[in-house]
Amino acid sequence: MNLIEVKNCYKVYNNGVTAVADFNVSIERGEFVFVIGASGSGKSTFIKMLYREERPTSGRVDVGGINVARLRNSKVYKLRRKIGIVFQDFKLLPKLTVYENVAFALEAIGMHTKEIRPKVIKALENVGLKDKARSFPNQLSGGEQQRVCIARAIVNNPKLLICDEPTGNLDPDISNEIVNILEKINKDSGTTIIMATHDREIVERMKKRVLLIDNGVLAKDYAKGSYKVHESN
Ligand code: ADP
C-alpha cells in the first residue's frame, strides 16, 4: 500500500477560499517529492492536511494507513508519531541545548533516558552536529539551527518527513547543504520526504518527483526531474 493516498480532496476555508480542489495523488514509501507552485497556490494547505493541521472539507487523505480526514482529535498523536516536520522558521526552544531540543519530543512521549540518548546522538550525527550537542540555539548559524530541526524531526525514525520551505530563510550554499542532508536521510533510512519549496535551483538539481500546484489544483506531476525541461518539451 502507498504511504500517502489523496483522493478527490478539497479544502475550503471558512472565508470561502478554495485552497485545494479535486486533488488526487499517491506517494509511495521511500519517495522524495518536491511540492512547488506560486505563493498562495495551496502548497501549505496540502501539506497541513497530511499531518492533520487542517482537515479536508471533502475527499480522502490516507497517511500510513490512517484515514486522516476522519481521525478524531484525540487520536491525532498516533499520526504525528509517524511524521517528522520541519518548518521555515526553526521553532527551537531557546533555553534548551541542542541535545535537549532533540530529546524533548522523546521525553514527552515517556521514553526512558537510556533509550533516548543513543537516538539523539545518532540523529545529531546524521545532520553533522554531534559536536554542538551542548550549544544553545542562539550560538548556532541559521543552517545549523535548521539541521537541529531536522535531527529533532527524524529522531524517532518517522516514516514520513514533511518539510515546508525548509530553506526559505537560508543562503543558497546552506540551502544545498540542507537538501543534501535530506537526500541522505531519504537514501539511508528510506524515509519518505515531501518538501515544499520556492527554490527552483534545488528542484532542478535534485531530479526528484515534482508536484506543481496551481491555484489549488495539482497541475503537473513530473515523475522525475526538472520541471523546466518538461515544460519546454
Ligand atoms: P502556499 O503554501 O502555496 O503559499 P496556502 O496553502 O498557504 O498556499 O494558501 C492557499 C490559499 O488559501 C491562499 O489563497 C490563502 O490565502 C488561503 N488560506 C491559507 N490558510 C488559510 C486560512 N487559515 N484561512 C483562510 N484562508 C487561508
Side-chain angles (χ1 to χ4, degrees):
M1 200 178 61
N2 289 321
L3 182 68
I4 296 171
E5 286 284 356
V6 178
K7 288 204 181 109
N8 309 113
C9 178
Y10 285 77
K11 176 66 189 181
V12 184
Y13 285 109
N14 289 339
N15 60 359
V17 170
T18 301
V20 163
D22 199 18
F23 222 82
N24 291 281
V25 70
S26 303
I27 296 173
E28 288 175 29
R29 282 168 212 281
E31 281 197 72
F32 190 130
V33 183
F34 286 113
V35 179
I36 63 167
S39 184
S41 58
K43 301 182 296 296
S44 291
T45 302
F46 164 59
I47 278 180
K48 282 176 180 170
M49 286 193 289
L50 299 177
Y51 62 95
R52 242 301 284 280
E53 179 71 17
E54 294 291 348
R55 224 188 246 268
T57 310
S58 63
R60 252 189 107 102
V61 176
D62 284 279
V63 178
I66 296 177
N67 183 341
V68 176
R70 299 189 61 185
L71 188 67
R72 289 174 182 208
N73 287 339
S74 62
K75 296 280 194 287
V76 168
Y77 75 93
K78 286 195 174 175
L79 172 74
R80 298 277 170 88
R81 281 188 190 174
K82 295 177 191 261
I83 302 178
I85 308 170
V86 176
F87 299 99
Q88 177 169 351
D89 52 335
F90 312 128
K91 298 185 200 289
L92 291 168
L93 297 164
K95 292 191 174 154
L96 299 186
T97 64
V98 163
Y99 180 95
E100 289 162 347
N101 263 284
V102 178
F104 188 76
L106 300 180
E107 285 162 4
I109 61 172
M111 199 177 279
H112 288 292
T113 314
K114 261 195 200 162
E115 225 183 313
I116 291 175
R117 196 170 166 74
K119 282 179 187 273
V120 174
I121 288 170
K122 182 155 175 279
L124 288 175
E125 265 171 11
N126 283 339
V127 301
L129 279 184
K130 203 178 140 202
D131 56 335
K132 300 276 183 184
R134 294 204 171 106
S135 301
F136 287 89
N138 67 4
Q139 297 171 319
L140 303 179
S141 68
E144 287 169 337
Q145 289 183 56
Q146 193 56 299
R147 277 148 66 190
V148 178
C149 295
I150 295 170
R152 179 179 58 181
I154 61 168
V155 69
N156 207 17
N157 277 323
K159 291 185 184 356
L160 173 62
L161 181 59
I162 290 177
C163 307
D164 197 352
E165 302 268 3
T167 61
N169 284 330
L170 303 172
D171 294 339
D173 284 357
I174 308 293
S175 299
N176 277 319
E177 202 179 283
I178 294 291
V179 174
N180 290 343
I181 289 171
L182 295 176
E183 188 180 36
K184 189 168 180 303
I185 291 165
N186 173 250
K187 285 206 168 124
D188 291 353
S189 48
T191 310
T192 307
I193 298 190
I194 298 183
M195 171 171 160
T197 185
H198 274 113
D199 196 325
R200 284 180 162 254
E201 269 177 40
I202 284 176
V203 177
E204 287 292 324
R205 178 170 72 83
M206 299 294 286
K207 308 274 184 283
K208 306 288 186 192
R209 184 175 176 189
V210 180
L211 305 180
L212 169 64
I213 305 186
D214 182 20
N215 234 327
V217 173
L218 181 56
K220 302 272 182 192
D221 181 351
Y222 302 121
K224 217 171 209 147
S226 156
Y227 55 98
K228 214 150 95 189
V229 170
H230 285 269
E231 272 174 353
S232 60
N233 278 343

